[in-house]
Amino acid sequence: MTRLKTADVMNIPAMIQNYDYELKKVTGLSLMELALEVTNGLKYDTQIHRTRVAVIPVTSGEGAINGFSEAVQSIAFHLGFDAFVTKFPDVRGLAEAYNKKADLIMIADDHNFIAINLGNGRVVNNTEATAAGYVAALKQMCGSLVDQTVLLLGAGFLGSCAAERLLQHGARLIIHDLDQEIERSLASKLITNYGGTKVLYGYGITRALSMSRLIFDASSGDVFIHGGLLQDNSFVAAPGIPIGLNEDAILKVGTRVVHDPLQIGVAVMLFQALGS
Ligand code: 2YC
């Protein structure tokens, strides 16, 4: 899992309105509508403004990321939640969250970022929520995934979560990872459940890009995609940090790309944690 830097998150609070406006232009859905779409149309509950979300900084391992908790809080607040960052980190922050009657807790160490619903005990994971949110975004951008070929870049945990959802939406997948063993093992697991016609692998990146105009970039930093390889009317859903497209690919894809460091994942986490 790629570790965010302060530079990735520090502008999120100030930019969240513009971000939401751009997301609506590209996908047709606001951040809230996209998150509700993923949580099986959980009815927008007017109680959301009464749902108290405590974001707790964690100093373990490589330490707290300056701006991370504030970014998470600003996304929750933007969506209408009564969200705050605890004054204290770690265990004292957990006690503070309980003392302040938090309904949801959001907390991340170097390896996991989860939301916990203190009412029903539900725990949701950022990686699974991000995968679900980005598959929904790709589907919104291109209309439908049924019988569409999607190139999945990156067969790690994020890519594996996305693969399941893409196949459940009726897509055909081409799996590509720089590590051929990881690529093969995800592909063979998926072939068992979905069949060999729906899951292809073993193609070089150039050939794979020539076969698909829908790209799910779950890679973590290797710049895979050069403009020259990208088909003209490609759509890209890129939860991976940093994005796997180089400058001319980004120019070529224009507005047909969704990429953010936290927003979609956090929005889906919140509504999945609320879930019925
Ligand atoms: O500030 C803090 O509380 C830190 N302990 C947060 C560390 C987050 C590490 N994880 C990440 O940077 C990425 C994010 C995209 C979310 C999941 N992994």
Side-chain angles (χ1 to χ4, degrees):
M1 167 169 69
T2 311
R3 182 182 168 84
L4 289 170
K5 299 179 186 61
T6 297
D8 298 318
V9 299
M10 64 196 288
N11 293 328
I12 288 177
M15 296 298 287
I16 188 72
Q17 297 284 2
N18 310 57
Y19 166 86
D20 208 342
Y21 177 75
E22 289 305 318
L23 182 70
K24 179 113 182 168
K25 262 194 336 192
V26 170
T27 66
L29 294 181
S30 69
L31 187 58
M32 171 162 328
E33 289 163 339
L34 182 64
L36 287 171
E37 162 92 2
V38 174
T39 43
N40 299 320
L42 176 85
K43 290 288 156 279
Y44 173 68
D45 172 0
T46 50
Q47 306 310 315
I48 280 188
H49 64 279
R50 266 202 274 279
T51 301
R52 181 160 295 176
V53 179
V55 182
I56 307 170
V58 170
T59 62
S60 67
E62 293 190 47
I65 298 171
N66 196 356
F68 176 81
S69 295
E70 290 71 16
V72 173
Q73 182 274 342
S74 71
I75 296 161
F77 184 76
H78 171 74
L79 292 168
F81 291 87
D82 169 11
F84 67 100
V85 177
T86 55
K87 274 207 278 302
F88 299 98
D90 307 324
V91 173
R92 193 166 176 191
L94 192 56
E96 184 186 337
Y98 273 87
N99 292 334
K100 289 183 178 173
K101 309 265 180 286
D103 301 296
L104 300 183
I105 278 175
M106 300 190 85
I107 188 165
D109 64 12
D110 294 346
H111 310 288
N112 289 286
F113 176 17
I114 62 171
I116 304 171
N117 182 323
L118 300 183
N120 62 20
R122 186 188 296 261
V123 180
V124 295
N125 175 291
N126 171 264
T127 304
E128 288 157 350
T130 301
Y134 271 82
V135 167
L138 185 63
K139 176 171 158 278
Q140 283 299 125
M141 278 197 283
C142 65
S144 162
L145 293 171
V146 176
D147 296 333
Q148 298 291 319
T149 300
V150 179
L151 169 57
L152 175 65
L153 297 175
F157 183 33
L158 176 59
S160 309
C161 296
E164 288 285 348
R165 285 193 172 255
L166 287 161
L167 289 162
Q168 284 158 10
H169 278 86
R172 182 174 76 139
L173 290 191
I174 301 176
I175 314 270
H176 184 279
D177 192 293
L178 287 179
D179 180 322
Q180 291 190 353
E181 192 33 47
I182 290 181
E183 175 182 310
R184 196 200 53 72
S185 90
L186 175 59
S188 44
K189 202 166 50 180
L190 294 168
I191 286 169
T192 313
N193 299 335
Y194 296 91
T197 54
K198 288 291 220 180
V199 181
L200 308 176
Y201 70 104
Y203 293 91
I205 187 64
T206 306
R207 177 98 174 80
L209 278 166
S210 72
M211 295 159 72
S212 39
R213 66 188 184 88
L214 303 184
I215 297 163
F216 193 96
D217 174 16
S219 64
S220 53
D222 334 288
V223 178
F224 276 95
I225 308 171
H226 302 270
L229 295 176
L230 211 55
Q231 291 193 31
D232 285 343
N233 54 351
S234 297
F235 288 95
V236 180
I241 304 268
I243 194 167
L245 279 70
N246 74 356
E247 288 71 39
D248 63 333
I250 289 177
L251 276 176
K252 186 163 188 181
V253 81
T255 57
R256 296 184 310 278
V257 56
V258 173
H259 171 69
D260 70 40
L262 270 179
Q263 292 88 330
I264 287 175
V266 166
V268 173
M269 284 170 86
L270 285 162
F271 286 102
Q272 283 182 331
L274 271 190
S276 46

